[in-house]
Amino acid sequence: MTESIAKVRKAVIPAAGFGTRMFPGTKVVKKELFPIIDKDGRAKPIIQIIVEEAISGGIEEVGIVVQKSDIPLFTDFFQALPSYYQKLSPEKQQYCQYLQNLGRKITLLTQSEQAGYGHAVFCAKEWVGDEPFLLLLGDHIYASEVKQSCTNQILQVYEQANKSVIGVRIIPGTEIHHYGCISGNLVADGLINIDTIYEKPELNFAKERLHVSGMKEDEFLGVFGMYVLIAKIFDYLEENIKQNTREKGEFQLTSCLDKLQKTEGMTGYLVKGRCFDTGMPDVYLQTMIDFRNA
C-alpha cells in the first residue's frame, strides 16, 4: 500500500526585516505594506498579494513572521475596520469584509531579533509542528503563466514527488550572484533532481559547479522564492542557531536546505510563471509596471 502524503495546510511568510534597501520609505511604511497595483486596478499591500497567492493553492492557514512591535500594523490591516468605514462605497465596505475573512486565516508569529532569514523561518517551528509547509518570501510576488497558480503548481509537484520542493527559474549568469542557485539533472516536465544548493555564487564558480546539462552555457537555475519543505528543516536550523553557525553574521536558510537535500532528497521545479522582487527601489518600480501586465 502506498504511504499517504501529508497535505500541505500551512504557509510561512517571513516579514520581520527592517527593509534597509527601501530606506527612507521604510521609516514610515513596512516594506511588506508597500502598495502594488493589481490587474483590477486595486492598490494592495505586497503582503496581501502573497497571502492571496498562498490561499490560491488551497493553503488553509498562513503564519506571518513579524517583529513584535509591528503586530498592530498587520492586525489593523487584516482584522480591523477603518474608522472611515461608513464613508466607503458599498463595494469597498464589502472588500473590508473580505480582508477580515482573509485575516481569520492568518496567525502573526514573532521574531525576537533580526538574525537572518533562516532564523525567521525557525520562528515558525512551533506553529508549523510536524507538518510539511509552504514557504514564500516576504518581498516577492508571483504571476502564473498557466491556469494553475504558482503555488498550486508547486504543491502538486510535492504531492507527486513526496519530498521537499524548491521552485526555480532560469536566470542569466550576469545575475547569478544575486540569487540562490541549484544544480542537478533535468527530467521530464520541468522537474530537477537536485544535487547542490548554493547561495549567491560567483559566475566562475557557477560555471564550474552549478551548470545544468542541457541548458545554455550562460543560463542557470535560480531560486524562484517558493518552497514546500518538510518539518525536518527546523532540525538543521536549530542546530545552526545552537552552535551559533552564522554566514555573513546571520543564520541563513540555504545551507540548511542543502543539508536537507543531502539527507532526505529534494526536487526542483521550473515554475510556469514569473516572480517579481519588491525589495529594492529600482526593481520595485519595474515590478509596479510588469506585475499588472503579467
Side-chain angles (χ1 to χ4, degrees):
M1 182 181 291
T2 304
E3 185 180 352
S4 62
I5 301 169
K7 176 178 167 57
V8 181
R9 301 188 313 108
K10 295 182 176 181
V12 173
I13 306 170
F18 290 113
T20 53
R21 293 181 299 178
M22 295 294 278
F23 181 89
T26 45
K27 280 197 73 177
V28 290
V29 180
K30 293 295 295 180
K31 68 174 182 176
E32 295 81 11
L33 299 178
F34 275 40
I36 296 286
I37 312 301
D38 72 359
K39 292 180 176 63
D40 298 323
R42 183 174 278 122
K44 293 181 179 179
I46 290 165
I47 192 67
Q48 180 188 343
I49 296 174
I50 303 171
V51 169
E52 289 174 332
E53 172 66 36
I55 300 299
S56 74
I59 292 295
E60 299 168 10
E61 301 178 57
V62 178
I64 305 176
V65 182
V66 302
Q67 295 180 39
K68 188 175 181 180
S69 60
D70 290 334
I71 287 177
L73 295 175
F74 289 89
T75 301
D76 186 58
F77 177 72
F78 282 111
Q79 298 173 4
L81 293 175
S83 58
Y84 49 87
Y85 176 80
Q86 297 300 333
K87 296 183 179 180
L88 295 174
S89 67
E91 186 269 337
K92 289 181 178 176
Q93 288 183 6
Q94 188 176 15
Y95 199 80
C96 284
Q97 299 301 323
Y98 162 75
L99 289 175
Q100 288 192 304
N101 291 337
L102 204 61
R104 293 188 185 98
K105 299 178 181 180
I106 294 171
T107 299
L108 296 176
L109 311 168
T110 56
Q111 185 182 22
S112 57
E113 59 173 321
Q114 279 51 61
Y117 186 59
H119 184 271
V121 175
F122 181 73
C123 291
K125 180 180 188 297
E126 290 188 14
W127 180 74
V128 169
D130 294 328
E131 301 180 38
F133 66 101
L134 175 72
L135 176 64
L136 301 174
L137 299 182
D139 57 5
H140 279 55
I141 55 179
Y142 312 88
S144 177
E145 294 171 349
V146 295
K147 277 189 174 182
Q148 287 182 308
S149 68
C150 297
T151 291
N152 198 270
Q153 292 176 50
I154 202 167
L155 290 176
Q156 206 167 60
V157 171
Y158 169 76
E159 291 172 3
Q160 293 167 357
N162 195 19
K163 62 177 71 171
S164 296
V165 180
I166 297 181
V168 295
R169 59 185 173 129
I170 296 173
I171 56 174
T174 52
E175 296 180 16
I176 191 66
H177 60 287
H178 292 304
Y179 301 100
C181 188
I182 72 163
S183 68
N185 299 312
L186 277 168
V187 293
D189 300 322
L191 300 177
I192 302 101
N193 291 323
I194 298 175
D195 57 39
T196 304
I197 307 168
Y198 199 88
E199 182 68 15
K200 298 179 180 177
E202 293 299 324
L203 180 56
N204 288 338
F205 179 90
K207 285 182 176 179
E208 292 175 12
R209 303 281 297 275
L210 300 173
H211 191 261
V212 176
S213 179
M215 292 182 60
K216 295 178 181 178
E217 185 178 347
D218 61 345
E219 288 184 343
F220 300 89
L221 293 176
V223 173
F224 189 77
M226 186 176 284
Y227 317 74
V228 179
L229 301 173
I230 60 173
K232 190 170 180 63
I233 189 67
F234 293 119
D235 295 342
Y236 297 117
L237 290 167
E238 185 170 26
E239 181 182 347
N240 276 4
I241 291 168
K242 284 183 175 179
Q243 296 178 0
N244 199 29
T245 304
R246 298 172 183 251
E247 298 160 61
K248 296 182 179 179
E250 296 184 325
F251 299 109
Q252 300 296 345
L253 178 68
T254 304
S255 57
C256 295
L257 290 174
D258 197 47
K259 289 179 183 177
L260 183 67
Q261 179 273 133
K262 285 178 168 56
T263 57
E264 305 292 328
M266 191 174 288
T267 295
Y269 173 64
L270 191 57
V271 181
K272 297 179 179 70
R274 297 174 65 187
C275 67
F276 300 89
D277 194 344
T278 65
M280 294 180 287
D282 55 345
V283 293
Y284 171 67
L285 177 62
Q286 195 61 46
T287 290
M288 290 280 283
I289 298 166
D290 293 343
F291 181 72
R292 190 173 183 183
N293 299 318

